[in-house]
Amino acid sequence: RALASASAAEAAALPDAPQLPHLVQAIADAKEQGTFKAERVISSPQRARVSVEGSSSKVLNMCANNYLGYCDHPELIEAARKALDTHGVGLSSVRFICGTQDLHKELEAIISKFHHTDDTILYPSCFDANAGLFEAILTKEDAILSDALNHASIIDGVRLCKARRMRYEHNDMAALEAALIESRDARVRLIATDSVFSMDGDVAPLKEIVRLARKHDALVMIDECHATGVLGDSGIGATEACDVLGQVDIINSTLGKAMGGASGGFTTGRQDVVDVLRQKARPYLFSNTIAPPLVAAATKAFELLMADPAPLVQLKSNAALFRSRLEEAGFELKPGNTAIVPVMLHDAALATKMAALLLQKGVYVIGFSYPVVPMGAARIRAQVSAAHSEADINFAADMFIESGRELGVIS
């Protein structure tokens, strides 16, 4: 007691912690500009219709990455339950100490089989996969050529690396070739790009990127987070859809979107790259292994898709219908043929206001604005799922059209 009293007295004698008025002002500015991100609370499983606090009835979810509808699939839930019983909640360890179970090796093997690659390494997230890649395999003797609209995780991963950084304009193949020529003195040149760009929903021209890489003796790395389980006749991703299967050196992707929606990421590709990542990638070496129930659920997701790609057909049909309905109504959409449908509004406050109005009408979407997207490029990013019925898609389109007319977005 005496020691506790002395400690309390010492603490009371200390000056107050410094104030951070710039942070208070940053939040105030975000609220005034309509860019403040409030988190809505869901009290149900992730599915086509969800329960959201503040809504009297379930609302249609049009903003999840649940592309195949696997988030609440009974076979994934059962696989997770079984692993919980047989392999426990977690491992309290990184992989190289005592954090590798047979489940992890099985998942890495099925991902490699799915992608037609040599080997796979798992991470807690694809953000970690991107953060750990570049520093582990490149040095100041090398060069990275990165698309201007790459995901923040690629940008951050590149920043951690000492390789020369070169940015080419979005999907501009002439600019990419010019950068390849300019960097010809580098030991290794690595072209890094998203395959599907998450905010615009467009696809990188992978066939041309691979051609340029081979012409200039460079490597190719792609982030397939919004393509795995979405693109290609088998759902393999953009490598399949763009006819470059087996020609991309490094593929990073996620288990947190189409493939069950839990968490986890991976790098799959060349054996030499994966071998070095196991030895040097810091997020792999210093992060706990993925929990066994999540690993088992992800493995089941790959098994389901490889056995029956029918959800892909539904997903593509839903995306085409939703896009056509909004285009016919006069909305400005970013062009594309993926499950991401960006509805361009250009004004941050308007995007937030329209998203709130849509929620009142039973459609859950989010307005995106700076710094998530460029200034003046505010939008609502709608995302379609195989879990949506045709009636769901038409309802969502009807509510978009009704809200757009009320707010003067369309006539």
Side-chain angles (χ1 to χ4, degrees):
R1 288 181 180 176
L3 182 61
S5 298
S7 297
E10 290 174 3
L14 291 173
D16 292 338
Q19 299 300 304
L20 301 172
H22 66 291
L23 298 186
V24 175
Q25 187 60 49
I27 295 298
D29 290 345
K31 290 178 178 178
E32 182 181 346
Q33 295 162 11
T35 60
F36 183 79
K37 299 163 194 63
E39 296 179 357
R40 296 172 181 165
V41 179
I42 297 173
S43 57
S44 66
Q46 185 67 278
R47 49 175 57 132
R49 291 185 179 270
V50 295
S51 299
V52 178
E53 282 189 9
S55 297
S56 58
S57 58
K58 288 189 175 182
V59 295
L60 183 65
N61 193 342
M62 293 290 292
C63 59
N65 300 313
N66 185 24
Y67 295 123
L68 296 177
Y70 282 173
C71 279
D72 67 334
H73 195 290
E75 291 192 47
L76 269 70
I77 294 171
E78 180 56 32
R81 281 201 185 107
K82 183 178 178 181
L84 191 62
D85 290 336
T86 60
H87 289 71
V89 174
L91 286 153
S92 299
S93 176
V94 299
R95 284 285 297 270
F96 81 94
I97 299 177
C98 57
T100 298
Q101 291 177 319
D102 51 349
L103 293 179
H104 297 93
K105 301 307 291 184
E106 289 166 10
L107 178 54
E108 288 172 340
I110 199 170
I111 292 172
S112 301
K113 180 180 179 182
F114 182 73
H115 283 284
H116 301 261
T117 51
D118 296 339
D119 200 0
T120 298
I121 177 174
L122 297 174
Y123 291 89
S125 69
C126 189
F127 201 109
D128 285 324
N130 286 336
L133 173 67
F134 305 100
E135 182 186 29
I137 67 171
L138 301 174
T139 71
K140 63 183 180 180
E141 300 176 71
D142 308 313
I144 303 169
L145 295 79
S146 181
D147 188 286
L149 293 188
N150 275 342
H151 190 267
S153 58
I154 296 178
I155 295 169
D156 285 0
V158 169
R159 285 173 176 166
L160 293 171
C161 178
K162 294 181 179 178
R164 180 181 178 187
R165 308 167 196 169
M166 305 183 71
R167 191 175 78 158
Y168 62 92
E169 290 301 313
H170 177 53
N171 281 348
D172 186 332
M173 295 299 96
L176 173 57
E177 182 159 33
L180 284 164
I181 293 169
E182 184 181 343
S183 61
R184 59 184 175 272
D185 59 336
R187 179 185 61 177
V188 174
R189 287 167 293 170
L190 177 63
I191 302 167
T193 182
D194 283 339
S195 62
V196 174
F197 291 85
S198 61
M199 284 297 123
D200 288 355
D202 56 337
V203 181
L206 293 185
K207 201 168 187 67
E208 181 64 8
I209 288 173
V210 169
R211 186 191 72 80
L212 288 173
R214 298 299 171 261
K215 177 181 176 182
H216 294 278
D217 194 28
L219 301 177
V220 178
M221 168 269 172
I222 63 173
D223 181 318
E224 287 265 67
C225 281
H226 289 275
T228 301
V230 177
L231 295 187
D233 293 339
S234 307
I236 295 172
T239 55
E240 182 182 24
C242 297
D243 194 27
V244 291
L245 196 61
Q247 299 175 48
V248 173
D249 302 284
I250 304 165
I251 298 169
N252 282 5
S253 194
T254 184
L255 307 173
K257 293 183 171 61
M259 308 313 292
S263 66
F266 59 87
T267 294
T268 191
R270 296 166 53 132
Q271 191 67 61
D272 52 1
V273 170
V274 173
D275 287 346
V276 167
L277 291 175
R278 289 196 193 281
Q279 301 302 312
K280 296 180 64 177
R282 293 167 72 86
Y284 180 80
L285 295 173
F286 297 103
S287 296
N288 259 18
T289 187
I290 307 175
L294 304 186
V295 173
T299 299
K300 178 57 67 173
F302 280 100
E303 290 173 351
L304 288 176
L305 183 57
M306 292 167 77
D308 180 16
L312 285 167
V313 178
Q314 183 68 42
L315 176 63
K316 291 170 183 176
S317 175
N318 287 347
L321 174 60
F322 185 67
R323 180 174 284 275
S324 67
R325 288 287 315 275
L326 266 58
E327 285 177 337
E328 289 168 6
F331 281 103
E332 178 190 347
L333 307 182
K334 286 280 188 178
N337 61 353
T338 67
I340 297 170
V341 183
V343 182
M344 302 305 296
L345 299 170
H346 302 287
D347 180 86
L350 176 60
T352 301
K353 186 175 182 179
M354 185 166 173
L357 180 59
L358 280 161
L359 184 62
Q360 293 174 17
K361 295 177 183 293
V363 178
Y364 183 178
V365 290
I366 294 292
F368 287 86
S369 56
Y370 182 82
V372 180
V373 296
M375 192 74 73
R379 68 197 69 183
I380 288 175
R381 182 186 68 175
Q383 289 168 278
V384 178
S385 170
H388 292 136
S389 66
E390 184 176 328
D392 289 333
I393 296 299
N394 279 316
F395 172 74
D398 289 342
M399 294 305 101
F400 262 85
I401 292 166
E402 190 175 292
S403 300
R405 286 174 178 160
E406 287 182 27
L407 297 174
V409 177
I410 56 173
S411 57

